[in-house]
Amino acid sequence: MKPIIFYFSLLLSTQYVTAQTIEPVSLEVGMPMPDFILKEVFYYEKNTVSNEDFKGKWLVLDMFSSGCVACFKSFPKINEFQKDFGDRVQFLLVGRDDNYIRQTYEKFKDRMSLTLPVAYDTLLFKQFQVAEVPYIIVADDQGIIKAITPSLTHENITDLLDGKTAEIRPAVNREQKEVRQEKYDSRKPLLLYGNGGEDSVFLYRSVLAKWNGLMTPQQNYISASAYGNSVQVVGLPLTSLYMLAYGDTTNFFHTALAYGNLWPKPILELTDSSEFIYDKNYVIHDNLYSYSLIVPQEKATTSYIRKVMQRELDNYFGYSVDIEYRMMPYWGLRVSNNAQKNLVSKSTVKEIKAHTGNNWGAIYKNAPVSDLISELEYQNYQSPPFIDETGIEGNIDLVLDADLTNFDDFRAALKKAGIELVRGEKLMKVIAIRDPKQENTNLAVQ
């Protein structure tokens, strides 16, 4: 079987490109792969390649950016794909060239023992009009595009190699995204006057609808001060809807969870929890919902909005919900007295360089410990909460040289700086979801 080449296009950051004429192309499945040239290719048999070099083969290109967490976390998987499929598949990474990309990739390459070819370029991102990441392109040995998607599994690749139809979520380019944005305005109520879809698809008003896959998933929190008399979310599973309705009135990805006041997801104690199971790659839309609520302005308090949403979840899904306090695990940040003195900031200007530009290493100058906790949360969003037990009241100075996407590496770097991550348990607020309570329907006999 002939080799196959996949194009992984992963782009989060923006950057100016050199003044050079290129022709933007709107990529579509079934069209020929546009001509391209990569002039800097490392760990490959040629330094410069073009689409002409892959004539007669299933073709390869691959792109990522230095600020993309998902990109770097996927490299070991891609590396294993390369080993599993051998000479049938060639994966080539293409990094969008910026101030971080080369040194960042080299550190990840060494730490992860990556053997993948890599190139650095900027024009290709503009040429292919990449608007959202991840973005993967697959072309056959005739140079015809067979798939454009944000993700591929081992099974997807096998199906493509065997000429089968693979169930793959489609990706969008910049032109397609602009068209979608014309059809959906996140500032307006969902499904009202055709915003994001026909108003006939709602399941419950105010509006509960199955996610149709056309709108980018969107998650907010309930706050009358921030969002007025409304709340609107798109493409969420039931766990997130119940967390939104019953959780603390704050952005629960940050302060409340960071300090262990609230367990980050509902605990399911159900005989059948199938309604809470969903495809985390968002290829299949089952059990994903969109919800929009507008209440009268004169009643618009955070407490009132939450109670309305709780009633509506009960009306449609019917689960029994209890708020309890249980001993739950967490990670405590602790320091010795000497380390505490060393961490106290000596800087006069605040400076933070973390995941916003680079996934390798972080710098904190004159920054609160909560900023460090936010980074731990960002890189480990499925972990138990991180709680500040350092006793440091002021700001800190801290430099970390580590793979931030790897928890063990992150933890080791903190320990080197005198900060221990200690596993513990504490009493936390827990949202428990159980089977509906049985109503007594027996009538008294007269």
Side-chain angles (χ1 to χ4, degrees):
M1 185 174 292
K2 295 182 179 179
I4 185 172
I5 296 176
F6 292 92
Y7 300 79
F8 285 75
S9 304
L10 305 170
L11 172 62
L12 286 180
S13 61
T14 58
Q15 170 183 338
Y16 291 106
V17 297
T18 56
Q20 182 174 339
T21 301
I22 65 169
E23 189 67 30
V25 180
S26 180
L27 299 183
E28 296 180 3
V29 173
M31 69 178 286
M33 186 69 193
D35 292 339
F36 65 85
I37 297 176
L38 290 172
K39 295 183 178 180
E40 287 190 299
V41 184
F42 300 89
Y43 315 113
Y44 191 62
E45 59 189 27
K46 297 183 67 175
N47 292 330
T48 299
V49 298
S50 72
N51 54 303
E52 294 295 323
D53 293 304
F54 302 101
K55 286 289 186 180
K57 299 179 180 180
W58 282 73
L59 191 48
V60 153
L61 279 183
D62 174 24
M63 299 143 80
F64 64 95
S65 67
S66 60
C68 175
V69 173
C71 306
F72 286 89
K73 285 192 172 183
S74 73
F75 289 164
K77 179 181 72 173
I78 297 172
N79 206 63
E80 288 303 313
F81 284 173
Q82 180 70 83
K83 294 177 182 178
D84 291 345
F85 291 99
D87 57 7
R88 293 186 298 164
V89 179
Q90 176 63 58
F91 295 92
L92 172 61
L93 305 177
V94 179
R96 179 165 187 166
D97 210 355
D98 62 18
N99 294 332
Y100 301 106
I101 190 69
R102 296 169 186 257
Q103 61 182 4
T104 300
Y105 178 76
E106 287 301 315
K107 289 182 178 180
F108 275 84
K109 172 185 174 296
D110 293 340
R111 187 65 57 89
M112 297 176 174
S113 300
L114 302 177
T115 58
L116 298 164
V118 61
Y120 302 104
D121 190 76
T122 56
L123 297 177
L124 207 58
F125 291 89
K126 183 176 181 180
Q127 181 182 356
F128 288 170
Q129 302 185 78
V130 180
E132 297 177 347
V133 295
Y135 194 84
I136 303 168
I137 311 168
V138 183
D140 68 11
D141 56 354
Q142 300 300 313
I144 303 301
I145 296 175
K146 293 297 183 181
I148 306 174
T149 176
S151 64
L152 280 175
T153 65
H154 195 283
E155 182 180 1
N156 292 153
I157 298 171
T158 300
D159 287 343
L160 290 168
L161 287 170
D162 293 341
K164 299 178 181 178
T165 300
E167 189 175 44
I168 301 175
R169 175 189 171 193
V172 297
N173 60 25
R174 192 177 306 279
E175 183 179 59
Q176 293 166 330
K177 184 177 181 180
E178 290 173 356
V179 172
R180 287 190 176 185
Q181 288 175 336
E182 292 177 0
K183 296 180 178 179
Y184 174 65
D185 187 343
S186 62
R187 297 167 297 180
K188 297 179 180 180
L190 176 67
L191 304 181
L192 187 62
Y193 305 120
N195 184 42
E198 297 296 327
D199 59 6
S200 60
V201 303
F202 67 82
L203 299 177
Y204 188 79
R205 185 79 182 183
S206 13
V207 175
L208 175 65
K210 290 184 178 180
W211 181 56
N212 57 19
L214 297 178
M215 298 163 285
T216 301
Q218 166 194 348
Q219 178 158 330
N220 292 330
Y221 56 98
I222 295 178
S223 171
S225 61
Y227 296 103
N229 64 332
S230 67
V231 58
Q232 183 160 296
V233 294
V234 173
L236 295 189
L238 274 184
T239 49
S240 295
L241 289 181
Y242 276 94
M243 196 72 187
L244 181 63
Y246 288 90
D248 286 358
T249 54
T250 181
N251 186 338
F252 50 78
F253 284 117
H254 295 293
T255 306
L257 298 190
Y259 291 92
N261 298 325
L262 173 68
W263 186 246
K265 59 183 178 180
I267 293 178
L268 306 181
E269 297 179 344
L270 301 165
T271 54
D272 180 6
S273 60
S274 58
E275 280 195 303
F276 290 82
I277 298 173
Y278 68 101
D279 178 11
K280 293 181 174 58
N281 291 320
Y282 282 67
V283 175
I284 301 172
H285 302 162
D286 293 351
N287 297 338
L288 291 168
Y289 299 90
S290 298
Y291 177 73
S292 179
L293 170 67
I294 298 176
V295 300
Q297 187 67 54
E298 62 272 16
K299 293 185 177 182
T301 65
T302 299
S303 176
Y304 178 80
I305 294 172
R306 291 177 65 209
K307 288 179 181 178
V308 171
M309 186 173 181
Q310 290 169 13
R311 288 197 300 267
E312 292 187 346
L313 289 174
D314 180 49
N315 288 340
Y316 190 80
F317 296 104
Y319 293 106
S320 176
V321 181
D322 294 298
I323 306 300
E324 303 173 353
Y325 285 87
R326 301 185 186 182
M327 294 299 293
M328 303 299 291
Y330 75 95
W331 289 104
L333 279 71
R334 302 176 186 176
V335 296
S336 64
N337 290 334
N338 288 336
Q340 188 180 80
K341 294 177 182 178
N342 293 333
L343 288 167
V344 172
S345 178
K346 302 173 182 62
S347 305
T348 57
V349 178
K350 183 176 182 178
E351 178 184 5
I352 300 176
K353 293 182 180 179
H355 66 262
T356 53
N358 188 356
N359 283 308
W360 189 284
I363 297 174
Y364 299 91
K365 291 184 179 179
N366 197 23
V369 176
S370 60
D371 285 343
L372 173 60
I373 289 179
S374 293
E375 182 69 23
L376 284 163
E377 270 191 323
Y378 179 84
Q379 301 288 355
N380 305 280
Y381 59 90
Q382 293 182 326
S383 170
F386 296 90
I387 301 176
D388 181 9
E389 296 179 341
T390 63
I392 299 175
E393 296 182 358
N395 292 340
I396 63 171
D397 292 337
L398 177 64
V399 178
L400 300 174
D401 183 19
D403 170 6
L404 301 183
T405 68
N406 183 292
F407 179 73
D408 291 335
D409 207 29
F410 201 152
R411 186 181 181 187
L414 288 173
K415 184 175 182 179
K416 188 176 180 180
I419 302 175
E420 291 274 4
L421 279 181
V422 182
R423 188 72 171 238
E425 286 190 347
K426 67 168 292 189
L427 200 63
M428 296 186 195
K429 183 178 177 180
V430 171
I431 301 169
I433 300 179
R434 300 183 174 95
D435 293 327
K437 294 178 180 178
Q438 298 297 320
E439 296 183 4
N440 186 3
T441 59
N442 295 327
L443 298 178
V445 178
Q446 298 293 327

